[in-house]
Amino acid sequence: MHRKYTTTHEEYMQKAILLAQKAAENDEIPIGAIIIKNSKIIGKGFNQVRNLKDPTAHAEIIAITSACNTIENFRLTDCNLYVTKEPCVMCAGAIVNARLKNVFFGSYDPEYGACSSLYNICNDPCLNHRCGIKGGILDEKCSAILDLFFAGLRLKN
């Protein structure tokens, strides 16, 4: 009996973690994101706020832009976002505007999280689009990357 292989949430999150590590190597807050459509990565990004001197250069925004360019459409219906940390308000707004189907994230963000921790913008009934949300995927790995990065910053100061 042959089973069709399907990528799991953990395997997709591991790909986002690799992008978060790339952000850390560039002295950026280590957050990575990928967008999946039909089991293929169509967009990816990692934080580049400092290097691009752009407060909107979050991993999610870069991944959304990349995916939209790939499919040549500003709507990402039937696409899933995997991101290593719960999206902020700005990114949650972009997720709604892009009409992503689902958001899967690693670590929760009790200070700025806008997909379940502080707000749930992606499921606000006042907005024209809602999407599925699942947090805590490889939470320990995603949190460890952030903890290590911020511990290094404290040592530098």
Side-chain angles (χ1 to χ4, degrees):
M1 174 167 73
H2 295 284
R3 284 188 347 171
K4 184 179 177 187
Y5 177 79
T6 57
T7 306
T8 65
H9 294 309
E10 289 81 11
E11 289 169 311
Y12 284 132
M13 189 61 69
Q14 190 59 49
K15 293 177 187 304
I17 288 170
L18 292 174
L19 290 165
Q21 290 168 336
K22 190 171 182 178
E25 291 165 10
N26 288 297
D27 288 326
E28 295 281 354
I29 294 174
I31 300 172
I34 62 169
I35 295 179
I36 305 295
K37 182 174 180 142
N38 299 326
S39 301
K40 292 184 180 176
I41 297 174
I42 62 165
K44 56 186 176 177
F46 58 89
N47 270 8
Q48 298 183 58
V49 171
R50 291 181 175 134
N51 287 317
L52 294 178
K53 297 170 183 60
D54 179 356
T56 69
H58 289 197
E60 301 95 324
I61 302 295
I62 292 169
I64 288 169
T65 300
S66 173
C68 290
N69 286 328
T70 298
I71 66 169
E72 298 181 340
N73 193 332
F74 71 94
R75 290 190 173 137
L76 297 175
T77 53
D78 297 322
C79 295
N80 295 319
L81 170 70
Y82 288 82
V83 60
T84 57
K85 187 176 184 183
E86 181 180 357
C88 69
V89 171
M90 175 184 67
C91 293
I95 288 163
V96 169
N97 284 332
R99 294 171 177 81
L100 282 155
K101 183 176 181 178
N102 294 297
V103 175
F104 301 99
F105 65 87
S107 60
Y108 286 86
D109 186 348
E111 293 180 29
Y112 300 103
C115 291
S116 66
S117 292
L118 288 180
Y119 305 104
N120 194 342
I121 290 172
C122 294
N123 283 300
D124 188 321
C126 297
L127 301 175
N128 68 339
H129 176 75
R130 283 167 280 298
C131 61
I133 301 289
K134 179 170 174 46
I137 299 168
L138 297 182
D139 181 16
E140 288 181 14
K141 282 187 176 184
C142 294
S143 294
I145 294 168
L146 289 161
D147 292 345
L148 186 63
F149 176 80
F150 286 112
L153 281 183
R154 284 189 286 277
L155 288 175
K156 289 179 184 176
N157 292 331

